[in-house]
């Protein structure tokens, strides 16, 4: 940021030139912190939404996330039902981890961005895993004590998240690609296979 030098004139003061701003250690640290804060933002769920979901059982969580995602006819839209299950299963898993609200927020945003990368950016499995590793390096435990206060997850939690995503998303990546990139007719034909093999370990059968 530039600083303004003021000169004196008969009518008062007027700018006569600028000098380059000096970056202090504090300003550099603040800039770095702001960059760190951009990781996994904006939040997929607000603090109020997460707090509200934590008061619900699995059926309540499923229903409120269905409304939030604006899914209406799950019995006729297999894709919506699978996506809803993806988020509900993730939230229920996080509930078992006893995360803080901030940790819930980052974890659910991570789930959302991974699905966005696959669905919208058509990111390959290899690229998705690479992106995931880079994000976990930012929000997971750090070797540097200098930035220890930025840790969102400890070592045990970070490893648990990696293990969860291996079995819930990456192991079934081809099925998700099929779901997002195939025509409706192809998806209907493959319905029974997808329902049997897609992850569904933490939720009850979807209500219609």
């Amino acid at each position: 940021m530039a600083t303004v030098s003021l000169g004196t004139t008969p009518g008062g003061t007027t700018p006569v030139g600028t000098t380059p701003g000096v970056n202090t250690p504090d300003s550099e640290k603040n800039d770095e912190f702001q960059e760190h804060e951009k990781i996994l933002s904006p939040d997929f769920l607000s603090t109020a939404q997460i707090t509200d979901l934590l008061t619900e059982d699995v059926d309540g969580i499923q229903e409120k996330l269905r409304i939030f995602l604006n899914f209406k006819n799950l019995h006729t839209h297999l894709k919506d039902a699978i996506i809803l299950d993806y988020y509900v299963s993730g939230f229920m898993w996080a509930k078992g981890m006893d995360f803080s609200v901030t940790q819930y927020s980052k974890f659910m945003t991570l789930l959302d961005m991974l699905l966005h990368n696959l669905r919208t950016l058509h990111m390959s499995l290899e690229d998705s895993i690479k992106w995931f590793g880079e994000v976990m390096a930012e929000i997971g435990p750090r070797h540097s004590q200098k930035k220890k206060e930025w840790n969102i997850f400890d070592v045990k939690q970070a490893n648990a998240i990696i293990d969860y995503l291996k079995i819930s998303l990456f192991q079934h990546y081809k099925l998700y690609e099929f779901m997002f990139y195939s025509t409706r007719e192809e998806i209907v034909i493959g319905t029974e296979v997808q329902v049997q093999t897609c992850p569904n370990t933490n939720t009850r059968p979807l209500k219609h």
Side-chain angles (χ1 to χ4, degrees):
M1 181 178 181
T3 57
V4 178
S5 300
L6 299 179
T8 303
T9 66
T13 59
T14 184
V16 297
T18 61
T19 58
V22 177
N23 289 328
T24 65
D26 285 342
S27 66
E28 290 178 355
K29 183 177 181 180
N30 185 57
D31 289 343
E32 194 175 0
F33 178 76
Q34 289 179 354
E35 285 299 315
H36 177 76
E37 285 292 285
K38 293 179 183 178
I39 301 296
L40 296 181
S41 62
D43 294 333
F44 174 63
L45 295 172
S46 68
T47 297
Q49 287 172 318
I50 292 171
T51 302
D52 182 43
L53 287 172
L54 287 172
T55 66
E56 300 286 347
D57 61 11
V58 61
D59 292 330
I61 291 170
Q62 182 174 281
E63 177 62 13
K64 289 189 174 181
L65 283 176
R66 182 193 67 78
I67 294 171
F68 171 70
L69 294 167
N70 197 29
F71 291 161
K72 302 185 183 301
N73 300 312
L74 297 177
H75 62 290
T76 58
H77 292 82
L78 175 66
K79 187 183 298 184
D80 289 353
I82 292 174
I83 292 172
L84 176 61
D85 182 74
Y86 172 80
Y87 288 116
V88 174
S89 295
F91 194 90
M92 291 301 299
W93 178 84
K95 199 171 184 180
M97 291 293 294
D98 197 26
F99 283 164
S100 67
V101 172
T102 298
Q103 290 171 329
Y104 269 107
S105 175
K106 291 303 181 185
F107 176 70
M108 294 303 295
T109 303
L110 174 63
L111 293 186
D112 183 59
M113 292 186 73
L114 281 166
L115 202 63
H116 170 79
N117 290 345
L118 191 167
R119 182 180 189 175
T120 306
L121 303 183
H122 290 204
M123 191 174 285
S124 68
L125 174 60
E126 292 75 15
D127 287 341
S128 186
I129 291 174
K130 180 180 178 181
W131 179 89
F132 172 58
E134 291 171 350
V135 170
M136 289 305 296
E138 290 293 329
I139 65 176
R142 294 171 175 269
H143 295 295
S144 172
Q145 294 298 312
K146 178 182 177 182
K147 300 176 182 177
K148 190 174 181 180
E149 68 274 14
W150 292 359
N151 293 357
I152 296 174
F153 300 103
D154 61 28
V155 174
K156 183 178 179 181
Q157 291 168 333
N159 286 334
I161 289 171
I162 292 170
D163 289 340
Y164 174 76
L165 283 166
K166 280 181 181 178
I167 64 173
S168 65
L169 176 63
F170 297 136
Q171 182 176 324
H172 304 278
Y173 208 81
K174 293 298 182 183
L175 288 174
Y176 281 104
E177 287 180 323
F178 174 80
M179 178 181 72
F180 287 130
Y181 307 155
S182 301
T183 64
R184 178 178 174 83
E185 289 74 19
E186 290 174 322
I187 292 176
V188 170
I189 292 172
T191 294
E192 292 186 5
V193 175
Q194 291 190 60
V195 169
Q196 290 173 6
T197 56
C198 277
N200 185 19
T201 56
N202 295 305
T203 60
R204 301 177 186 176
L206 293 172
K207 288 187 173 182
H208 305 313

